[in-house]
Amino acid sequence: MSFISRRLAPVAVLIVLVFGAAACQQQSVAEVEPDGAIVLTGVRIIDGNGGAPVEQGTIVIREGRIVAAGVLPDDQIPAGATTVDLAGKTVMPGIIDAHGHVRAVDDQIPMREDLVKRLRVLADYGVTTVVSLGQLANDETPEVARLRDEQDASADLNRARIYTSGPSIQGQTSPEEARASVAQRVSMNADRIKFHMGDGTDREMSADTYGAIIDEAHNEGLRTYSHIFSVQEANEVLDAGIDVIAHSIRDQDVDQALIDKMQARDVAYIPTLTRDLSVFVYEETPAFLEDPFFLRGISLYNEEIPTLTSPEHQQEIREDENAQAIKPALDQATLNLKILSDAGITIAMGTDVGGGGGRWQGYFEHVELEMMVEAGLTPMQALVAATGAAARVSGLDHLGTIAPGRVADLLVLDANPLDDILNTREIHSVWIAGRRIGTDGTN
């Protein structure tokens, strides 16, 4: 596997906005009021939709949203705006993790404080939004929902945005119990529903039962995500009406019949390659623990490093049959990602960060992008998966692209990630709702 051998060793339309006369009138300076506007100039724009990058572009931001972006005439630059010269920089939408976890695990501080700490680390890595597919406990979900409800109204947001499924639904014994579990999560203000099918072994729930989860969620207007492992499990949830397959298929090659099912209903696919990497990579001390970019998050990561680097823990991994079996499963997942991407299936970047030991919130989103490219996706395809596609898959139409009306959550880079996907790590600055945040979460 090239990632392990190499790393462990030490937007859909070009946003040029070359408008005709009528379009120029629509985007006139009269509509771009000068007070409070921020203008980023001299930038390369990667729009998040897959369009060719705009060179020497300009982005106009007002009240936290993008007003105009592209190669703009002078009369579209608001008089008196605050101008930020970013000549030579690349600007892309902030990274969206379509399958992560943000969980409070430090019981020495208030739950909200712990959650915010983790969201700030994500933001420092340019991950401006995370969809948390599974909270630790019922009492955590309302707190996450409050953070979600506050974020769009905040004029000085200094952390990643968050959305939540509440606890993943598992082990239901009847359709009635399954519907009640969905209702419980709705009462806690979850904004999507996730359930576990299993890990390639016996089904945890009958078809009627997991079908009831999907049906009840759809009745509530919520999208459904499923934890799966095998082709069989993927087919089962597809037949039941799933919206998003939330992990890789890892037991065999996907076939055309499964692809046809996904295409028929535009079912999206979230690979979470780094989730599988994390299962076995700590059988020894990985070199990336000394990577300066990894150390950016050491204030949070130090919670887990002592355990993961202990000889006893590493020996347990080496002797664990399940951990060792994930190595070929990851190879299969990598192959299936390329097959599905080539078939036109919508791919959204997700990591399962925060869902277990050594799944680093912030750092692993960048590793996931690297692994996606090593699987055969182009850097542009990986970036779209982490921005515009992740937003669409997650039902977050106000995020994910650089276009008029979208929230100005931006990642500014010192190097072009289309040349080398590792350049997403060359972070110059992170902007949330049109405000540059500091590395300590300040604006």
Side-chain angles (χ1 to χ4, degrees), residues 64 119 123 127-128 155-161 407-410 430-437 443:
L119 292 170
V127 182
T128 55
D156 56 354
L157 189 66
N158 60 1
R159 53 178 167 79
R161 301 175 193 275
V407 172
D409 290 355
L410 305 171
V430 179
W431 297 64
I432 296 180
R435 293 168 61 89
R436 179 175 178 171
I437 65 167
N443 288 102

Side-chain angles (χ1 to χ4, degrees), residues 184-436:
Q184 181 191 43
R185 284 150 181 77
V186 171
S187 73
M188 292 187 291
N189 294 315
D191 48 58
R192 57 207 68 227
I193 297 295
K194 179 193 175 187
F195 64 92
H196 271 62
M197 282 293 286
D199 286 305
T201 56
D202 293 338
R203 301 291 79 71
E204 289 192 355
M205 295 179 285
S206 69
D208 286 347
T209 300
Y210 62 75
I213 295 174
I214 296 172
D215 182 62
E216 189 67 19
H218 288 169
N219 287 342
E220 296 288 346
L222 302 181
R223 294 174 67 76
T224 55
Y225 299 67
S226 183
H227 176 117
I228 60 93
F229 183 94
S230 66
V231 165
Q232 179 179 344
E233 289 167 345
N235 275 301
E236 288 171 348
V237 295
L238 284 166
D239 291 341
I242 199 70
D243 298 299
V244 182
I245 293 176
H247 283 288
S248 292
I249 296 169
R250 289 161 277 178
D251 66 328
Q252 63 187 71
D253 289 4
V254 296
D255 58 20
Q256 190 60 47
L258 185 142
I259 291 170
D260 291 344
K261 288 182 184 180
M262 296 183 73
Q263 290 176 330
R265 293 182 33 256
D266 194 22
V267 173
Y269 186 78
I270 306 176
T272 66
L273 301 176
T274 45
R275 182 267 180 197
D276 296 321
L277 176 68
S278 72
V279 173
F280 63 84
V281 74
Y282 305 107
E283 65 184 6
E284 58 186 27
T285 300
F288 67 69
L289 294 186
E290 297 182 357
D291 179 355
F293 189 65
F294 173 83
L295 296 175
R296 190 182 186 102
I298 196 65
S299 62
L300 180 62
Y301 301 162
N302 258 338
E303 293 178 349
E304 300 180 34
I305 289 174
T307 297
L308 295 173
T309 56
S310 71
E312 296 80 12
H313 180 79
Q314 294 178 348
Q315 185 64 27
E316 287 177 6
I317 301 258
R318 288 192 290 270
E319 295 175 355
D320 188 301
E321 291 183 4
N322 291 329
Q324 296 305 311
I326 290 294
K327 292 179 180 179
L330 177 54
D331 290 337
Q332 183 67 65
T334 301
L335 177 62
N336 281 335
L337 170 58
K338 174 63 171 171
I339 293 171
L340 291 170
S341 177
D342 287 350
I345 299 301
T346 299
I347 307 297
M349 191 278 291
T351 58
D352 208 14
V353 292
R359 302 180 196 173
W360 312 107
Q361 294 164 322
Y363 181 73
F364 260 13
E365 281 83 0
H366 294 267
V367 175
E368 186 81 23
L369 289 171
E370 180 185 1
M371 294 178 75
M372 293 173 79
V373 170
E374 290 185 346
L377 276 64
T378 66
M380 180 65 86
Q381 287 175 319
L383 293 176
V384 170
T387 55
R392 290 192 301 274
V393 166
S394 304
L396 305 175
D397 294 338
H398 59 308
L399 302 173
T401 59
I402 297 177
R406 295 294 198 271
V407 172
D409 290 355
L410 305 171
L411 176 55
V412 182
L413 303 172
D414 286 324
N416 186 355
L418 298 177
D419 294 337
D420 184 341
I421 197 62
L422 296 182
N423 286 339
T424 62
R425 307 175 188 204
E426 299 297 323
I427 295 176
H428 169 273
S429 55
V430 179
W431 297 64
I432 296 180
R435 293 168 61 89
R436 179 175 178 171

